[in-house]
Each structure stands twice: as structure tokens, then as C-alpha cells.
């Protein structure tokens, strides 16, 4: 639950964001990738972090997962300064990074992969219920429950990897390029699942090059250009800014009728 406190001037509560970066600089050795990035993700919302190749999106995701430490600036989780916390501690607090690629045990079946994660997260007694939920979220996995994971298609393996993370839904899920290398129909499936996860209460930070998909479920959007935030606000108010801010030209938010 996000901490709330009444503001002295008004009755509107001041809501602490679930995640907040304040003026973060970060990079790799002497190379600086982020130049004073500030952004926040409201509890229960979806923030799409957009930008072209090399803009710094993955670096932001790594900062949020604790894999890279800022050289300057602060990182808060639910109002707590976690700038110096190790990645495993952040994971314990409820921040999970959706695995890139195909993080599955290739020689185990779909069901064995899921059961391993579920037992670790929920214990033996909770695993059966978790398995049912996973199959409900990902019907294609249900059809392939006895298939060895290494023989699944790339998209199915991505789906299984995501399903394993979601055995124990995190409080904040950081997704980095989930659609990469997936057939459009599988991407649709993955995004439907992300929407279901959001509806179940998980806050999402989605890093994507596939703008249309990210915007289809995002509440807010932040645009990175060369390590700096050039737009940060609700998707609904993004308007024509999108074309100016994103070099790909793919940035138009979906129209109300979905065309
Ligand atoms: P893409 O969409 O292509 O993955 P991105 O927006 O995610 O790009 P980052 O991966 O965060 O961008 O990279 C930001 C900058 O940092 C780029 O100039 C990149 O070359 C550089 N960079 C990324 N990873 C490393 C690394 N391990 N070592 C050195 N420089 C890196």
C-alpha cells in the first residue's frame, strides 16, 4: 500500500509513488548513459518508458532492479531511499525484472518449470492453485504442459519465462523489451497477460521499442532521448508530442477505436 498523508493546505492526499528516480545519473565505467533522469511510477499504474536505440531505457530498468547503481541522484521505492540497496534486497522488497530472452529449464517440461517456481514462491500446498492461475493466464502453456521447454517456440519460451516470474506476482514488475523477437500474435498474448497482472494489482514499468503495444496498456509515458527525459506525463495528454519526441515515427498513441 502506498503511504498517504494529508497535505496541510488541502484535503487532497499526497500519494507517495511506488517508484521514483530523482535526477539519476548512471553509466558503464567512464561512459555516462543517463543524465539526470527523474521519473515516477504511481502504485497500480503502468508507465511505458519509450525511446530509440541507445536512449538509455535498459539502463533505467537496470537501475530500478538494482543491477546498476546511480553515480548521482536517488532512487526511492515506496518513499524509501533504496539507492544503495543490492539487487537481491530490492527483489525481496517486491521488485522483479521480467527475464529477457528465454529463461527456462530447457530439459524440463512446461509444467515442471512452472511447478519449480511455484513451489519456491508458494510452497507445496499453494503450488496447485498457482499452476491453475498460470494456465488461465497463458492458455497456450496449458496445451503444452507435458512438452519439454527446449522444444517450445521462442515466443512460447518467453511466455513460460514470464509465467514463472508471475508465479508469485511482484509488487513492481520491470519489463525490458518483452516483445523483442516475438511474432505479433504472441506479443498480443504477452500484453494481454501484462494487463491482467496490472488488474491484479502489480505496478508495471514497461521498457519497449514497440510503442503501440506499450501505449495500449500504459497510463503514463516517459520518453528518453540520449539519456534525458523529454516527456513525462499521461498517455492521454501526450497528443502530437509523440511524433516530435520519438524518432521512430511509430509513437502515435492508439486512437480510441483501436485503429
Ligand atoms: P536499446 O533499445 O537499443 O536496447 P536502450 O535505450 O535500452 O537501447 P541502453 O541499453 O540503456 O539503451 O544503452 C544506453 C547507452 O549505454 C548506449 O549508448 C549503450 O551503447 C551504452 N551501454 C549499454 N550497455 C553498456 C555496457 N554494458 N557497457 C558500455 N556501454 C553500454
Amino acid at each position: 500500500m502506498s503511504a498517504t498523508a494529508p497535505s496541510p493546505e488541502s484535503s487532497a492526499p499526497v500519494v507517495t509513488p511506488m517508484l521514483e528516480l530523482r535526477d539519476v545519473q548512471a553509466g558503464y565505467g567512464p561512459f555516462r548513459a543517463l543524465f539526470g533522469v527523474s521519473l515516477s511510477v504511481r502504485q497500480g499504474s503502468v508507465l511505458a518508458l519509450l525511446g530509440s536505440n541507445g536512449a538509455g531505457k535498459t539502463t533505467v530498468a537496470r537501475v530500478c532492479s538494482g543491477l546498476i547503481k546511480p553515480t548521482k541522484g536517488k532512487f526511492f521505492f515506496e518513499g524509501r531511499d533504496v539507492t544503495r540497496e543490492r539487487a537481491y534486497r530490492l527483489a525481496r522488497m517486491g521488485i522483479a525484472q521480467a527475464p529477457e530472452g528465454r529463461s527456462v529449464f530447457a530439459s524440463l517440461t512446461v509444467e515442471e518449470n512452472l511447478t519449480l517456481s511455484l513451489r519456491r514462491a508458494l510452497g507445496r500446498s499453494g503450488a496447485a492453485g498457482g499452476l491453475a492461475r498460470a494456465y488461465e493466464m497463458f492458455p497456450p502453456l496449458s496445451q503444452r504442459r507435458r512438452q519439454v521447454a527446449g522444444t517450445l517456440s521462442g515466443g512460447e519460451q518467453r511466455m513460460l519465462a514470464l509465467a514463472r516470474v508471475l508465479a508469485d506476482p511482484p509488487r513492481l514488475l520491470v519489463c525490458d523489451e518483452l516483445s523483442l523477437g516475438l511474432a505479433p500474435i504472441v506479443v498480443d498474448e504477452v500484453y494481454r497477460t501484462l494487463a491482467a497482472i496490472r488488474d491484479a494489482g502489480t505496478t508495471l514499468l514497461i521498457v519497449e521499442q514497440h510503442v503501440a503495444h506499450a501505449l495500449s496498456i500504459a497510463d503514463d509515458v516517459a520518453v528518453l532521448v540520449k539519456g534525458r527525459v523529454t516527456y513525462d506525463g499521461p498517455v492521454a495528454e501526450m497528443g502530437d508530442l509523440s511524433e516530435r519526441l520519438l524518432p521512430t515515427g511509430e509513437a502515435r498513441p492508439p486512437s480510441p477505436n483501436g485503429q
Side-chain angles (χ1 to χ4, degrees), residues 50-131:
L50 308 176
S52 57
N53 280 331
K57 305 181 299 296
T58 294
T59 307
V60 168
R62 287 177 180 150
V63 167
C64 295
S65 307
L67 300 174
I68 291 180
K69 295 296 164 203
T71 50
K72 189 170 167 251
K74 298 259 183 219
F75 165 32
F76 297 87
F77 184 60
E78 297 184 315
R80 176 174 163 192
D81 184 348
V82 293
T83 314
R84 296 288 141 212
E85 291 287 7
R86 300 264 186 89
Y88 80 92
R89 299 257 313 159
L90 294 175
R92 278 195 198 151
M93 287 178 206
I95 301 178
Q97 172 124 25
E100 283 183 71
R102 307 166 182 179
S103 306
V104 299
F105 293 105
S107 60
L108 301 183
T109 65
V110 166
E111 187 141 320
E112 285 165 345
N113 267 280
L114 288 171
T115 303
L116 264 181
S117 310
L118 287 161
R119 284 199 180 153
R120 201 175 49 227
L122 307 174
R124 193 173 278 266
S125 57
L131 199 55

Side-chain angles (χ1 to χ4, degrees), residues 40-51:
S40 62
V41 189
R42 295 176 289 120
Q43 178 170 15
S45 72
V46 180
L47 176 75
L49 181 60
L50 308 176

